[in-house]
Each structure stands twice: as C-alpha cells, then as structure tokens.
Amino acid sequence: MTQASGTKPPLEIHILGGGQGESIVIRMPDGRWGVVDCFTTSPASGDRNSTALFLRAHNVDRLHFVCLTHPHQDHFMGMAELLEEFRPHEFWRFGSLSHEHINNLIHYYEAKAVVKGRSEFSRTAEELLALFGKSLEGVQARTMNVEYATARASLYPPAIEEPTDYHIESLSPTGNQAELYQAAIIDCVMPDGKLGKKLTRTHHNNISVVLKLTYGKTVVFLGGDLERTGWEELVGRYTDRMLRATAVK
C-alpha cells in the first residue's frame, strides 16, 4: 500500500500469486478497483481463482478495469471469468495484435497441443478464445470499452473525467517490439495449419505492457514481464525524469 501524503485516501496495490503467474489488484484513491493480469490453474473452477476470491472477500461487485499485459498463459488464465463476473467498464490490453494475429496465436496453441499431446496448450487456446470473445461481447453490448495499452498512452482517469493527482499511463509496448512480435506470430503457424517457428518466452514478454501509476509525488511501475531488450528501449525513449519511481514491480 502507498499513499501520496497527509490525509489523502490511500492507493492500495495487492500482488497475488507472485512466482507462478500473478495478479495485481489495485484499489484506486477514488475507491474504484482494477486488476492487472490473472492466473489460476483451473480456469473453469471459480473457487480456485485467487483473484476472484480476493475481490469477493472485499465486496467488489464491479471492476473499473481489467488489464492484460501480454498473451502468456500465466498472466491470463482465469481472466475470462473476471470479465464475466465483475463486468469491468474497461478492458485494457497490450496494443500489439490484430484479431488476425490473435487467431493465429490461438491456432498455434491448438497445433502445439496436438503435437505435444499436452492438455495445457489446449486449455490456453480455449482461455484466449473465451477472453477475447468476452471482450468483443462487451463492446457489442456497449457495456465495456476496450483500450489498447501502448507506449505513451494515458489510460486513467477516463478522458471524459477531470484530471486528478492520480493517473495511470502505459510506457510500452513500443512500436518496434509490436512489429517484431507480429512477425513472429505470422511465422508460428504454417499455411497448412502445422507448427512453424517456435514462439519463445521472450517473444511474449517483450510486448508486455508497463504501467506507470502516479499519485501525487508517489510513482509506481508495474513492469509485467518486460525483459532486458524492452527495458533498454524504454530507457532510450524516455527521459530520466519520466523513469524515476518510488517502487517497481
């Protein structure tokens, strides 16, 4: 937990499941709640989703936002359930993939499940399909806005509200990392549907969203899984003053 100063309401940051996938639950100074990433070993079982359990225990019935930093299974398994139960006003997702690329990624996990004979790849494909299906349903029903988190994007407060001393912006993914990832997605599945080039952990991680939370003089960076290459690019794109932080996750 951190707060700006004096008697101002606190900014709360709760980190769940660090080390094996993670979820970061944020209670903002204005009382709204948001979630960055989600992980559960049993997406189909609501009583195994630690993020949902935490929100229920704190009597949260609706989220302001859910943010997916990057499409690695240890950051989105169980997220479709959050969109279903807590009906976020906004879904923030890494601004790197079109629907064509997402479909290719789903096909990649499906093909990998067939070749490897391992059910977790099939579950990954099902969860991705469910997650982006829920976000599209929300847009079609006009109950949810989708925002692309990219370098230099302002995410909170919403544009229709007055500026406050608390705000959230994204510093990545950069256009360079997005281009490289899109090329890798195209190459990962052959025209005949078979596996192409392997997608590595680094491919996913280097398009991770980095969020910068500012509350008065307090600055917190939530770095997702961005790796060295991505951080080096941020250092080259932003001034030292922009990258000063009170705390970094």
Side-chain angles (χ1 to χ4, degrees):
M1 177 189 296
T2 182
Q3 68 183 67
S5 62
T7 59
K8 291 185 177 181
L11 163 66
E12 299 179 10
I13 301 174
H14 305 267
I15 299 173
L16 312 177
Q20 187 190 11
E22 68 181 21
S23 181
I24 300 175
V25 181
I26 301 170
R27 185 181 187 277
M28 294 179 279
D30 58 13
R32 293 167 170 168
W33 291 80
V35 171
V36 180
D37 291 334
C38 183
F39 177 73
T40 176
T41 55
S42 301
S45 177
D47 60 356
R48 298 281 295 277
N49 190 326
S50 59
T51 308
L53 293 172
F54 181 94
L55 294 171
R56 293 172 197 147
H58 286 77
N59 299 313
V60 178
D61 58 6
R62 189 162 193 191
L63 291 166
H64 179 72
F65 74 85
V66 169
C67 176
L68 173 59
T69 60
H70 62 296
H72 221 179
Q73 59 266 38
D74 60 340
H75 287 257
F76 64 72
M77 298 298 279
M79 186 173 282
E81 179 191 352
L82 298 186
L83 267 60
E84 174 75 25
E85 180 175 351
F86 297 98
R87 302 166 293 112
H89 293 282
E90 297 187 350
F91 177 47
W92 304 347
R93 61 102 155 170
F94 56 96
S96 303
L97 298 184
S98 67
H99 280 277
E100 178 187 0
H101 292 103
I102 291 168
N103 285 333
N104 230 43
L105 183 59
I106 292 170
H107 291 323
Y108 171 76
Y109 283 122
E110 289 173 336
K112 200 169 183 181
V114 172
V115 171
K116 300 288 186 181
R118 291 164 61 181
S119 60
E120 67 265 28
F121 294 121
S122 180
R123 288 199 302 271
T124 297
E126 291 172 0
E127 182 69 9
L128 263 184
L129 190 60
L131 174 58
F132 285 103
K134 292 293 182 187
S135 68
L136 183 57
E137 287 176 11
V139 171
Q140 291 172 334
R142 299 185 179 180
T143 59
M144 181 170 64
N145 293 321
V146 172
E147 300 291 346
Y148 288 1
T150 59
R152 307 175 188 175
S154 177
L155 298 170
Y156 189 89
I160 62 172
E161 297 184 12
E162 293 295 325
T164 68
D165 63 349
Y166 172 69
H167 59 272
I168 304 175
E169 57 193 308
S170 57
L171 302 184
S172 73
T174 64
N176 289 351
Q177 294 304 324
E179 287 287 315
L180 293 172
Y181 188 63
Q182 288 172 2
I185 290 291
I186 294 299
D187 290 341
C188 73
V189 179
M190 304 296 287
D192 61 3
K194 295 182 179 179
L195 285 176
K197 293 181 180 179
K198 181 181 179 181
L199 279 178
T200 67
R201 182 171 176 268
T202 301
H203 279 127
H204 298 300
N205 290 350
N206 272 337
I207 54 93
S208 180
V209 173
V210 172
L211 295 178
K212 180 181 180 182
L213 284 61
T214 303
Y215 187 24
K217 295 182 179 180
T218 299
V219 178
V220 178
F221 282 87
L222 303 180
D225 276 356
L226 192 67
E227 297 196 15
R228 180 170 180 168
T229 300
W231 282 110
E232 287 175 344
E233 190 165 351
L234 291 195
V235 170
R237 284 177 174 242
Y238 296 100
T239 65
D240 289 347
R241 184 172 179 274
M242 279 284 295
L243 295 177
R244 290 176 185 165
T246 310
V248 178
K249 167 65 178 71

PDB file of all heavy atoms in Angstrom, residues 209-242:
ATOM      1  N   VAL A 209       2.985  -4.919 -21.427  1.00  0.00           N
ATOM      2  CA  VAL A 209       2.631  -3.565 -21.006  1.00  0.00           C
ATOM      3  C   VAL A 209       3.388  -3.215 -19.729  1.00  0.00           C
ATOM      4  O   VAL A 209       3.498  -4.036 -18.810  1.00  0.00           O
ATOM      5  CB  VAL A 209       1.117  -3.457 -20.745  1.00  0.00           C
ATOM      6  CG1 VAL A 209       0.756  -2.104 -20.146  1.00  0.00           C
ATOM      7  CG2 VAL A 209       0.337  -3.702 -22.033  1.00  0.00           C
ATOM      8  N   VAL A 210       3.930  -2.026 -19.669  1.00  0.00           N
ATOM      9  CA  VAL A 210       4.479  -1.459 -18.434  1.00  0.00           C
ATOM     10  C   VAL A 210       3.575  -0.303 -18.044  1.00  0.00           C
ATOM     11  O   VAL A 210       3.372   0.625 -18.824  1.00  0.00           O
ATOM     12  CB  VAL A 210       5.923  -0.965 -18.621  1.00  0.00           C
ATOM     13  CG1 VAL A 210       6.390  -0.196 -17.386  1.00  0.00           C
ATOM     14  CG2 VAL A 210       6.865  -2.135 -18.887  1.00  0.00           C
ATOM     15  N   LEU A 211       2.997  -0.387 -16.847  1.00  0.00           N
ATOM     16  CA  LEU A 211       2.110   0.666 -16.357  1.00  0.00           C
ATOM     17  C   LEU A 211       2.855   1.577 -15.388  1.00  0.00           C
ATOM     18  O   LEU A 211       3.633   1.111 -14.552  1.00  0.00           O
ATOM     19  CB  LEU A 211       0.898   0.061 -15.650  1.00  0.00           C
ATOM     20  CG  LEU A 211      -0.069  -0.753 -16.508  1.00  0.00           C
ATOM     21  CD1 LEU A 211      -1.183  -1.327 -15.634  1.00  0.00           C
ATOM     22  CD2 LEU A 211      -0.657   0.075 -17.635  1.00  0.00           C
ATOM     23  N   LYS A 212       2.584   2.871 -15.498  1.00  0.00           N
ATOM     24  CA  LYS A 212       3.132   3.852 -14.571  1.00  0.00           C
ATOM     25  C   LYS A 212       1.974   4.474 -13.806  1.00  0.00           C
ATOM     26  O   LYS A 212       1.109   5.124 -14.391  1.00  0.00           O
ATOM     27  CB  LYS A 212       3.899   4.934 -15.334  1.00  0.00           C
ATOM     28  CG  LYS A 212       4.514   6.006 -14.434  1.00  0.00           C
ATOM     29  CD  LYS A 212       5.243   7.059 -15.273  1.00  0.00           C
ATOM     30  CE  LYS A 212       5.864   8.146 -14.388  1.00  0.00           C
ATOM     31  NZ  LYS A 212       6.539   9.198 -15.196  1.00  0.00           N
ATOM     32  N   LEU A 213       1.935   4.227 -12.489  1.00  0.00           N
ATOM     33  CA  LEU A 213       0.898   4.771 -11.615  1.00  0.00           C
ATOM     34  C   LEU A 213       1.484   5.960 -10.864  1.00  0.00           C
ATOM     35  O   LEU A 213       2.515   5.825 -10.189  1.00  0.00           O
ATOM     36  CB  LEU A 213       0.431   3.719 -10.602  1.00  0.00           C
ATOM     37  CG  LEU A 213      -0.493   2.592 -11.073  1.00  0.00           C
ATOM     38  CD1 LEU A 213       0.146   1.738 -12.155  1.00  0.00           C
ATOM     39  CD2 LEU A 213      -0.879   1.712  -9.884  1.00  0.00           C
ATOM     40  N   THR A 214       0.852   7.112 -10.998  1.00  0.00           N
ATOM     41  CA  THR A 214       1.329   8.321 -10.331  1.00  0.00           C
ATOM     42  C   THR A 214       0.252   8.838  -9.389  1.00  0.00           C
ATOM     43  O   THR A 214      -0.897   9.041  -9.792  1.00  0.00           O
ATOM     44  CB  THR A 214       1.677   9.415 -11.362  1.00  0.00           C
ATOM     45  OG1 THR A 214       2.651   8.914 -12.281  1.00  0.00           O
ATOM     46  CG2 THR A 214       2.228  10.650 -10.667  1.00  0.00           C
ATOM     47  N   TYR A 215       0.641   9.037  -8.131  1.00  0.00           N
ATOM     48  CA  TYR A 215      -0.282   9.581  -7.130  1.00  0.00           C
ATOM     49  C   TYR A 215       0.463  10.650  -6.346  1.00  0.00           C
ATOM     50  O   TYR A 215       1.264  10.341  -5.465  1.00  0.00           O
ATOM     51  CB  TYR A 215      -0.755   8.464  -6.204  1.00  0.00           C
ATOM     52  CG  TYR A 215      -1.836   8.871  -5.224  1.00  0.00           C
ATOM     53  CD1 TYR A 215      -2.694   9.941  -5.458  1.00  0.00           C
ATOM     54  CD2 TYR A 215      -2.022   8.158  -4.030  1.00  0.00           C
ATOM     55  CE1 TYR A 215      -3.685  10.295  -4.561  1.00  0.00           C
ATOM     56  CE2 TYR A 215      -3.010   8.494  -3.126  1.00  0.00           C
ATOM     57  CZ  TYR A 215      -3.833   9.561  -3.392  1.00  0.00           C
ATOM     58  OH  TYR A 215      -4.824   9.903  -2.487  1.00  0.00           O
ATOM     59  N   GLY A 216       0.222  11.906  -6.685  1.00  0.00           N
ATOM     60  CA  GLY A 216       0.993  12.973  -6.079  1.00  0.00           C
ATOM     61  C   GLY A 216       2.460  12.803  -6.436  1.00  0.00           C
ATOM     62  O   GLY A 216       2.828  12.715  -7.600  1.00  0.00           O
ATOM     63  N   LYS A 217       3.307  12.679  -5.423  1.00  0.00           N
ATOM     64  CA  LYS A 217       4.740  12.503  -5.655  1.00  0.00           C
ATOM     65  C   LYS A 217       5.148  11.024  -5.679  1.00  0.00           C
ATOM     66  O   LYS A 217       6.325  10.712  -5.875  1.00  0.00           O
ATOM     67  CB  LYS A 217       5.539  13.243  -4.575  1.00  0.00           C
ATOM     68  CG  LYS A 217       5.366  14.761  -4.623  1.00  0.00           C
ATOM     69  CD  LYS A 217       6.207  15.444  -3.559  1.00  0.00           C
ATOM     70  CE  LYS A 217       6.052  16.962  -3.631  1.00  0.00           C
ATOM     71  NZ  LYS A 217       6.879  17.641  -2.581  1.00  0.00           N
ATOM     72  N   THR A 218       4.188  10.140  -5.494  1.00  0.00           N
ATOM     73  CA  THR A 218       4.473   8.708  -5.489  1.00  0.00           C
ATOM     74  C   THR A 218       4.314   8.152  -6.902  1.00  0.00           C
ATOM     75  O   THR A 218       3.299   8.384  -7.558  1.00  0.00           O
ATOM     76  CB  THR A 218       3.523   7.969  -4.531  1.00  0.00           C
ATOM     77  OG1 THR A 218       3.719   8.459  -3.204  1.00  0.00           O
ATOM     78  CG2 THR A 218       3.779   6.466  -4.560  1.00  0.00           C
ATOM     79  N   VAL A 219       5.306   7.403  -7.355  1.00  0.00           N
ATOM     80  CA  VAL A 219       5.279   6.800  -8.697  1.00  0.00           C
ATOM     81  C   VAL A 219       5.604   5.310  -8.572  1.00  0.00           C
ATOM     82  O   VAL A 219       6.630   4.940  -7.998  1.00  0.00           O
ATOM     83  CB  VAL A 219       6.294   7.465  -9.641  1.00  0.00           C
ATOM     84  CG1 VAL A 219       6.278   6.778 -11.014  1.00  0.00           C
ATOM     85  CG2 VAL A 219       6.003   8.951  -9.785  1.00  0.00           C
ATOM     86  N   VAL A 220       4.700   4.472  -9.103  1.00  0.00           N
ATOM     87  CA  VAL A 220       4.887   3.024  -9.053  1.00  0.00           C
ATOM     88  C   VAL A 220       4.883   2.473 -10.479  1.00  0.00           C
ATOM     89  O   VAL A 220       3.986   2.788 -11.260  1.00  0.00           O
ATOM     90  CB  VAL A 220       3.773   2.344  -8.228  1.00  0.00           C
ATOM     91  CG1 VAL A 220       3.958   0.825  -8.216  1.00  0.00           C
ATOM     92  CG2 VAL A 220       3.751   2.889  -6.796  1.00  0.00           C
ATOM     93  N   PHE A 221       5.880   1.668 -10.792  1.00  0.00           N
ATOM     94  CA  PHE A 221       5.932   0.994 -12.088  1.00  0.00           C
ATOM     95  C   PHE A 221       5.520  -0.466 -11.909  1.00  0.00           C
ATOM     96  O   PHE A 221       6.056  -1.161 -11.033  1.00  0.00           O
ATOM     97  CB  PHE A 221       7.354   1.025 -12.661  1.00  0.00           C
ATOM     98  CG  PHE A 221       7.742   2.335 -13.283  1.00  0.00           C
ATOM     99  CD1 PHE A 221       8.276   3.355 -12.504  1.00  0.00           C
ATOM    100  CD2 PHE A 221       7.576   2.550 -14.640  1.00  0.00           C
ATOM    101  CE1 PHE A 221       8.640   4.561 -13.067  1.00  0.00           C
ATOM    102  CE2 PHE A 221       7.936   3.759 -15.214  1.00  0.00           C
ATOM    103  CZ  PHE A 221       8.470   4.767 -14.430  1.00  0.00           C
ATOM    104  N   LEU A 222       4.574  -0.918 -12.733  1.00  0.00           N
ATOM    105  CA  LEU A 222       4.214  -2.335 -12.807  1.00  0.00           C
ATOM    106  C   LEU A 222       4.759  -2.832 -14.143  1.00  0.00           C
ATOM    107  O   LEU A 222       4.222  -2.517 -15.202  1.00  0.00           O
ATOM    108  CB  LEU A 222       2.699  -2.513 -12.717  1.00  0.00           C
ATOM    109  CG  LEU A 222       2.033  -1.933 -11.461  1.00  0.00           C
ATOM    110  CD1 LEU A 222       0.525  -2.178 -11.487  1.00  0.00           C
ATOM    111  CD2 LEU A 222       2.644  -2.539 -10.189  1.00  0.00           C
ATOM    112  N   GLY A 223       5.832  -3.610 -14.079  1.00  0.00           N
ATOM    113  CA  GLY A 223       6.612  -3.923 -15.267  1.00  0.00           C
ATOM    114  C   GLY A 223       6.191  -5.137 -16.044  1.00  0.00           C
ATOM    115  O   GLY A 223       6.842  -5.481 -17.044  1.00  0.00           O
ATOM    116  N   GLY A 224       5.092  -5.812 -15.623  1.00  0.00           N
ATOM    117  CA  GLY A 224       4.692  -7.023 -16.330  1.00  0.00           C
ATOM    118  C   GLY A 224       5.850  -7.993 -16.397  1.00  0.00           C
ATOM    119  O   GLY A 224       6.544  -8.216 -15.400  1.00  0.00           O
ATOM    120  N   ASP A 225       6.116  -8.548 -17.573  1.00  0.00           N
ATOM    121  CA  ASP A 225       7.251  -9.450 -17.766  1.00  0.00           C
ATOM    122  C   ASP A 225       8.255  -8.892 -18.773  1.00  0.00           C
ATOM    123  O   ASP A 225       8.994  -9.645 -19.411  1.00  0.00           O
ATOM    124  CB  ASP A 225       6.768 -10.822 -18.266  1.00  0.00           C
ATOM    125  CG  ASP A 225       6.335 -11.733 -17.134  1.00  0.00           C
ATOM    126  OD1 ASP A 225       6.475 -11.333 -15.957  1.00  0.00           O
ATOM    127  OD2 ASP A 225       5.834 -12.829 -17.408  1.00  0.00           O
ATOM    128  N   LEU A 226       8.278  -7.570 -18.942  1.00  0.00           N
ATOM    129  CA  LEU A 226       9.193  -6.982 -19.914  1.00  0.00           C
ATOM    130  C   LEU A 226      10.627  -7.404 -19.604  1.00  0.00           C
ATOM    131  O   LEU A 226      11.056  -7.374 -18.449  1.00  0.00           O
ATOM    132  CB  LEU A 226       9.081  -5.452 -19.886  1.00  0.00           C
ATOM    133  CG  LEU A 226       9.762  -4.723 -21.048  1.00  0.00           C
ATOM    134  CD1 LEU A 226       9.055  -5.024 -22.364  1.00  0.00           C
ATOM    135  CD2 LEU A 226       9.792  -3.221 -20.800  1.00  0.00           C
ATOM    136  N   GLU A 227      11.350  -7.807 -20.638  1.00  0.00           N
ATOM    137  CA  GLU A 227      12.715  -8.273 -20.457  1.00  0.00           C
ATOM    138  C   GLU A 227      13.716  -7.188 -20.828  1.00  0.00           C
ATOM    139  O   GLU A 227      13.345  -6.069 -21.191  1.00  0.00           O
ATOM    140  CB  GLU A 227      12.937  -9.555 -21.265  1.00  0.00           C
ATOM    141  CG  GLU A 227      12.038 -10.690 -20.787  1.00  0.00           C
ATOM    142  CD  GLU A 227      12.476 -12.049 -21.283  1.00  0.00           C
ATOM    143  OE1 GLU A 227      13.629 -12.186 -21.775  1.00  0.00           O
ATOM    144  OE2 GLU A 227      11.680 -12.992 -21.183  1.00  0.00           O
ATOM    145  N   ARG A 228      14.987  -7.539 -20.741  1.00  0.00           N
ATOM    146  CA  ARG A 228      16.052  -6.543 -20.859  1.00  0.00           C
ATOM    147  C   ARG A 228      15.965  -5.726 -22.148  1.00  0.00           C
ATOM    148  O   ARG A 228      16.119  -4.502 -22.129  1.00  0.00           O
ATOM    149  CB  ARG A 228      17.414  -7.243 -20.771  1.00  0.00           C
ATOM    150  CG  ARG A 228      18.586  -6.275 -20.885  1.00  0.00           C
ATOM    151  CD  ARG A 228      19.891  -6.953 -20.565  1.00  0.00           C
ATOM    152  NE  ARG A 228      21.000  -6.009 -20.680  1.00  0.00           N
ATOM    153  CZ  ARG A 228      22.226  -6.249 -20.236  1.00  0.00           C
ATOM    154  NH1 ARG A 228      22.493  -7.405 -19.649  1.00  0.00           N
ATOM    155  NH2 ARG A 228      23.179  -5.352 -20.377  1.00  0.00           N
ATOM    156  N   THR A 229      15.718  -6.396 -23.282  1.00  0.00           N
ATOM    157  CA  THR A 229      15.649  -5.679 -24.557  1.00  0.00           C
ATOM    158  C   THR A 229      14.591  -4.580 -24.514  1.00  0.00           C
ATOM    159  O   THR A 229      14.811  -3.448 -24.975  1.00  0.00           O
ATOM    160  CB  THR A 229      15.339  -6.646 -25.708  1.00  0.00           C
ATOM    161  OG1 THR A 229      16.370  -7.623 -25.785  1.00  0.00           O
ATOM    162  CG2 THR A 229      15.228  -5.904 -27.031  1.00  0.00           C
ATOM    163  N   GLY A 230      13.423  -4.924 -23.949  1.00  0.00           N
ATOM    164  CA  GLY A 230      12.344  -3.946 -23.855  1.00  0.00           C
ATOM    165  C   GLY A 230      12.682  -2.791 -22.932  1.00  0.00           C
ATOM    166  O   GLY A 230      12.386  -1.626 -23.236  1.00  0.00           O
ATOM    167  N   TRP A 231      13.303  -3.104 -21.793  1.00  0.00           N
ATOM    168  CA  TRP A 231      13.674  -2.044 -20.848  1.00  0.00           C
ATOM    169  C   TRP A 231      14.732  -1.127 -21.446  1.00  0.00           C
ATOM    170  O   TRP A 231      14.700   0.093 -21.244  1.00  0.00           O
ATOM    171  CB  TRP A 231      14.184  -2.653 -19.536  1.00  0.00           C
ATOM    172  CG  TRP A 231      13.090  -3.147 -18.645  1.00  0.00           C
ATOM    173  CD1 TRP A 231      12.795  -4.442 -18.345  1.00  0.00           C
ATOM    174  CD2 TRP A 231      12.137  -2.350 -17.930  1.00  0.00           C
ATOM    175  NE1 TRP A 231      11.711  -4.515 -17.500  1.00  0.00           N
ATOM    176  CE2 TRP A 231      11.294  -3.250 -17.224  1.00  0.00           C
ATOM    177  CE3 TRP A 231      11.906  -0.976 -17.827  1.00  0.00           C
ATOM    178  CZ2 TRP A 231      10.240  -2.809 -16.422  1.00  0.00           C
ATOM    179  CZ3 TRP A 231      10.855  -0.538 -17.022  1.00  0.00           C
ATOM    180  CH2 TRP A 231      10.038  -1.455 -16.334  1.00  0.00           C
ATOM    181  N   GLU A 232      15.673  -1.715 -22.187  1.00  0.00           N
ATOM    182  CA  GLU A 232      16.700  -0.876 -22.812  1.00  0.00           C
ATOM    183  C   GLU A 232      16.071   0.098 -23.809  1.00  0.00           C
ATOM    184  O   GLU A 232      16.507   1.249 -23.925  1.00  0.00           O
ATOM    185  CB  GLU A 232      17.738  -1.765 -23.511  1.00  0.00           C
ATOM    186  CG  GLU A 232      18.657  -2.488 -22.542  1.00  0.00           C
ATOM    187  CD  GLU A 232      19.596  -3.470 -23.234  1.00  0.00           C
ATOM    188  OE1 GLU A 232      19.325  -3.813 -24.408  1.00  0.00           O
ATOM    189  OE2 GLU A 232      20.582  -3.879 -22.605  1.00  0.00           O
ATOM    190  N   GLU A 233      15.041  -0.370 -24.501  1.00  0.00           N
ATOM    191  CA  GLU A 233      14.366   0.524 -25.440  1.00  0.00           C
ATOM    192  C   GLU A 233      13.628   1.636 -24.705  1.00  0.00           C
ATOM    193  O   GLU A 233      13.631   2.797 -25.148  1.00  0.00           O
ATOM    194  CB  GLU A 233      13.394  -0.262 -26.320  1.00  0.00           C
ATOM    195  CG  GLU A 233      12.854   0.569 -27.455  1.00  0.00           C
ATOM    196  CD  GLU A 233      12.196  -0.261 -28.543  1.00  0.00           C
ATOM    197  OE1 GLU A 233      12.295  -1.500 -28.509  1.00  0.00           O
ATOM    198  OE2 GLU A 233      11.567   0.351 -29.417  1.00  0.00           O
ATOM    199  N   LEU A 234      13.012   1.315 -23.562  1.00  0.00           N
ATOM    200  CA  LEU A 234      12.338   2.363 -22.777  1.00  0.00           C
ATOM    201  C   LEU A 234      13.334   3.411 -22.296  1.00  0.00           C
ATOM    202  O   LEU A 234      13.047   4.614 -22.331  1.00  0.00           O
ATOM    203  CB  LEU A 234      11.613   1.752 -21.580  1.00  0.00           C
ATOM    204  CG  LEU A 234      10.393   0.882 -21.846  1.00  0.00           C
ATOM    205  CD1 LEU A 234       9.615   0.677 -20.551  1.00  0.00           C
ATOM    206  CD2 LEU A 234       9.488   1.485 -22.890  1.00  0.00           C
ATOM    207  N   VAL A 235      14.486   2.951 -21.829  1.00  0.00           N
ATOM    208  CA  VAL A 235      15.499   3.882 -21.346  1.00  0.00           C
ATOM    209  C   VAL A 235      15.936   4.828 -22.464  1.00  0.00           C
ATOM    210  O   VAL A 235      16.217   6.006 -22.224  1.00  0.00           O
ATOM    211  CB  VAL A 235      16.717   3.110 -20.782  1.00  0.00           C
ATOM    212  CG1 VAL A 235      17.885   4.053 -20.512  1.00  0.00           C
ATOM    213  CG2 VAL A 235      16.330   2.381 -19.499  1.00  0.00           C
ATOM    214  N   GLY A 236      15.969   4.325 -23.693  1.00  0.00           N
ATOM    215  CA  GLY A 236      16.357   5.161 -24.820  1.00  0.00           C
ATOM    216  C   GLY A 236      15.257   6.082 -25.301  1.00  0.00           C
ATOM    217  O   GLY A 236      15.529   7.046 -26.031  1.00  0.00           O
ATOM    218  N   ARG A 237      14.005   5.813 -24.909  1.00  0.00           N
ATOM    219  CA  ARG A 237      12.871   6.598 -25.419  1.00  0.00           C
ATOM    220  C   ARG A 237      12.357   7.641 -24.436  1.00  0.00           C
ATOM    221  O   ARG A 237      11.683   8.590 -24.830  1.00  0.00           O
ATOM    222  CB  ARG A 237      11.710   5.668 -25.790  1.00  0.00           C
ATOM    223  CG  ARG A 237      11.922   4.921 -27.097  1.00  0.00           C
ATOM    224  CD  ARG A 237      10.785   3.971 -27.367  1.00  0.00           C
ATOM    225  NE  ARG A 237      10.923   3.359 -28.689  1.00  0.00           N
ATOM    226  CZ  ARG A 237      10.048   3.500 -29.674  1.00  0.00           C
ATOM    227  NH1 ARG A 237       8.981   4.250 -29.516  1.00  0.00           N
ATOM    228  NH2 ARG A 237      10.228   2.893 -30.830  1.00  0.00           N
ATOM    229  N   TYR A 238      12.628   7.448 -23.144  1.00  0.00           N
ATOM    230  CA  TYR A 238      12.087   8.350 -22.129  1.00  0.00           C
ATOM    231  C   TYR A 238      13.213   9.039 -21.366  1.00  0.00           C
ATOM    232  O   TYR A 238      14.308   8.496 -21.223  1.00  0.00           O
ATOM    233  CB  TYR A 238      11.203   7.578 -21.146  1.00  0.00           C
ATOM    234  CG  TYR A 238       9.962   6.975 -21.760  1.00  0.00           C
ATOM    235  CD1 TYR A 238       9.907   5.620 -22.099  1.00  0.00           C
ATOM    236  CD2 TYR A 238       8.843   7.754 -22.029  1.00  0.00           C
ATOM    237  CE1 TYR A 238       8.777   5.058 -22.677  1.00  0.00           C
ATOM    238  CE2 TYR A 238       7.706   7.211 -22.600  1.00  0.00           C
ATOM    239  CZ  TYR A 238       7.676   5.857 -22.923  1.00  0.00           C
ATOM    240  OH  TYR A 238       6.553   5.313 -23.496  1.00  0.00           O
ATOM    241  N   THR A 239      12.903  10.212 -20.854  1.00  0.00           N
ATOM    242  CA  THR A 239      13.892  10.947 -20.059  1.00  0.00           C
ATOM    243  C   THR A 239      14.055  10.287 -18.698  1.00  0.00           C
ATOM    244  O   THR A 239      13.196   9.518 -18.239  1.00  0.00           O
ATOM    245  CB  THR A 239      13.446  12.401 -19.847  1.00  0.00           C
ATOM    246  OG1 THR A 239      12.233  12.409 -19.053  1.00  0.00           O
ATOM    247  CG2 THR A 239      13.176  13.093 -21.179  1.00  0.00           C
ATOM    248  N   ASP A 240      15.162  10.590 -18.042  1.00  0.00           N
ATOM    249  CA  ASP A 240      15.402  10.060 -16.698  1.00  0.00           C
ATOM    250  C   ASP A 240      14.271  10.449 -15.755  1.00  0.00           C
ATOM    251  O   ASP A 240      13.853   9.668 -14.899  1.00  0.00           O
ATOM    252  CB  ASP A 240      16.735  10.587 -16.148  1.00  0.00           C
ATOM    253  CG  ASP A 240      17.931   9.981 -16.859  1.00  0.00           C
ATOM    254  OD1 ASP A 240      17.741   8.981 -17.587  1.00  0.00           O
ATOM    255  OD2 ASP A 240      19.057  10.501 -16.700  1.00  0.00           O
ATOM    256  N   ARG A 241      13.781  11.662 -15.909  1.00  0.00           N
ATOM    257  CA  ARG A 241      12.709  12.149 -15.030  1.00  0.00           C
ATOM    258  C   ARG A 241      11.447  11.308 -15.206  1.00  0.00           C
ATOM    259  O   ARG A 241      10.742  10.990 -14.242  1.00  0.00           O
ATOM    260  CB  ARG A 241      12.412  13.607 -15.346  1.00  0.00           C
ATOM    261  CG  ARG A 241      11.378  14.256 -14.427  1.00  0.00           C
ATOM    262  CD  ARG A 241      11.293  15.752 -14.684  1.00  0.00           C
ATOM    263  NE  ARG A 241      10.287  16.363 -13.825  1.00  0.00           N
ATOM    264  CZ  ARG A 241       8.994  16.433 -14.134  1.00  0.00           C
ATOM    265  NH1 ARG A 241       8.565  15.930 -15.279  1.00  0.00           N
ATOM    266  NH2 ARG A 241       8.139  17.011 -13.320  1.00  0.00           N
ATOM    267  N   MET A 242      11.152  10.895 -16.448  1.00  0.00           N
ATOM    268  CA  MET A 242       9.965  10.076 -16.715  1.00  0.00           C
ATOM    269  C   MET A 242      10.071   8.696 -16.077  1.00  0.00           C
ATOM    270  O   MET A 242       9.071   8.069 -15.768  1.00  0.00           O
ATOM    271  CB  MET A 242       9.775   9.912 -18.223  1.00  0.00           C
ATOM    272  CG  MET A 242       9.103  11.095 -18.908  1.00  0.00           C
ATOM    273  SD  MET A 242       7.335  11.143 -18.591  1.00  0.00           S
ATOM    274  CE  MET A 242       6.788   9.647 -19.411  1.00  0.00           C
TER     275      MET A 242
END
